[in-house]
Amino acid sequence: VSYLTGTIAAGSPLILFAPQQTAFISNILSHFDVLLELPPGFFNLLFSDFEHFQQTAMDSRVAAIVYTGSKEHCEKLKKNI
């Protein structure tokens, strides 16, 4: 919820990368845009792995990221972004 609140305040879309292991919870989250009546494309859910997330995070169109994964992956992100 805090991620969504920040993106709404910034007027920026939210892209949530979720691993396959969290499919049930992630699918529930994917319905927030309907419940909150968000504009189409504002809330996006992708099932992906860390490598795809890292490639996306390095895209120049990405203004900010929030990462809640492993310390190892966090260090990779800090080093590469």
Side-chain angles (χ1 to χ4, degrees):
V1 173
S2 62
Y3 305 142
L4 186 59
T5 304
T7 58
I8 290 171
S12 177
L14 174 66
I15 303 171
L16 175 65
F17 280 81
Q20 296 291 338
Q21 299 87 340
T22 62
F24 179 72
I25 297 298
S26 299
N27 279 321
I28 292 170
L29 290 175
S30 71
H31 295 286
F32 278 171
D33 61 337
V34 175
L35 295 173
L36 298 174
E37 299 178 3
L38 298 173
F42 195 85
F43 182 82
N44 305 277
L45 174 64
L46 298 172
F47 290 100
S48 187
D49 59 11
F50 174 76
E51 297 305 321
H52 188 245
F53 171 77
Q54 185 176 12
Q55 288 175 346
T56 302
M58 293 188 310
D59 189 303
S60 63
R61 296 171 290 178
V62 175
I65 63 168
V66 175
Y67 183 73
T68 59
S70 72
K71 183 176 180 179
E72 175 187 316
H73 285 164
C74 188
E75 293 299 323
K76 284 183 182 180
L77 287 171
K78 285 187 214 178
K79 179 181 171 186
N80 295 327
I81 295 179

